[in-house]
């Protein structure tokens, strides 16, 4: 299995994920068909309130044959604030599948976590790789 194959299911989320349903528009019900008194008038069209897609990034850990399992678990606990149990589960997932998600964060948080993983791996002479991808 190649890296692109492994990453494929984690690709772009559909744009429709971010469209609010027309029938539940929130506090302002999004119905522009009312006059000042709230009475229905005009043509039956609805508008979607503007929703901004947050710029979130998925931080992924990649498998290799040399980094000790215990080191990966400690990195997941330290950098990603995982419990020992979650860290073990994620490490084993990466070990078996080749890649796994450590978390989803705004750009600068994700970047800092990737840097911390790569720095600590290099200092300890492990080939562990960590990457981020736009969600
Ligand atoms: N495959 C490594 C081993 O057998 C363990 C490992 C797990 C390495 C996860 C990297 O991201 C990783 N020692």
């Amino acid at each position: 299995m190649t890296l692109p194959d492994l990453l494929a299911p984690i690709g772009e989320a559909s744009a429709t994920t971010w469209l609010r349903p027309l029938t539940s528009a929130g506090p302002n019900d999004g119905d522009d068909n009312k006059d000042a008194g709230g009475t229905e008038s005009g043509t039956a069209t609805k508008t979607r309130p503007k929703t901004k897609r947050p710029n979130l990034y998925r931080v992924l850990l990649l498998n290799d044959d040399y980094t000790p399992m215990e080191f990966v678990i400690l990195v997941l606990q330290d950098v990603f604030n995982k419990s020992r149990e979650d860290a073990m589960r994620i490490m084993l997932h990466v070990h078996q599948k080749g890649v796994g998600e450590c978390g989803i964060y705004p750009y600068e948080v994700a970047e800092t976590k990737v840097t911390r993983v790569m720095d600590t791996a290099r200092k300890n002479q492990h080939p562990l790789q960590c990457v981020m991808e736009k969600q």
Side-chain angles (χ1 to χ4, degrees):
M1 200 187 288
T2 64
L3 183 56
D5 287 334
L6 291 162
L7 293 172
I10 313 174
E12 295 260 323
S14 157
T16 54
T17 311
W18 297 96
L19 297 177
R20 300 174 74 174
L22 285 165
T23 47
S24 60
N28 171 352
D29 72 359
D31 190 342
D32 290 346
N33 281 325
K34 290 179 181 166
D35 64 22
T39 317
E40 299 287 342
S41 65
T43 48
T45 58
K46 293 216 177 197
T47 56
R48 280 191 185 90
K50 283 226 161 54
T51 51
K52 265 225 197 125
R53 193 179 202 275
N55 276 326
L56 293 178
Y57 289 76
R58 191 172 296 222
V59 177
L60 304 169
L61 217 46
L62 309 185
N63 189 38
D64 65 72
D65 292 338
Y66 306 102
T67 305
M69 289 183 174
E70 183 60 24
F71 182 83
V72 178
I73 292 169
L74 293 176
V75 164
L76 284 162
Q77 287 185 266
D78 188 42
V79 178
F80 298 97
N81 307 311
K82 302 295 183 188
S83 67
R84 176 93 190 161
E85 293 70 29
D86 280 355
M88 218 177 299
R89 185 181 50 74
I90 295 167
M91 182 282 296
L92 281 176
H93 176 95
V94 176
H95 176 69
Q96 288 161 3
K97 311 272 183 191
V99 63
E101 183 181 294
C102 309
I104 299 172
Y105 310 95
Y107 183 85
E108 279 172 22
V109 178
E111 194 183 36
T112 302
K113 289 189 186 293
V114 170
T115 302
R116 283 181 65 190
V117 173
M118 297 300 282
D119 283 356
T120 190
R122 184 157 29 81
K123 279 185 189 129
N124 289 278
Q125 299 186 299
H126 296 312
L128 181 63
Q129 296 290 305
C130 184
V131 297
M132 59 194 264
E133 64 167 33
K134 198 166 192 296
Q135 235 203 343

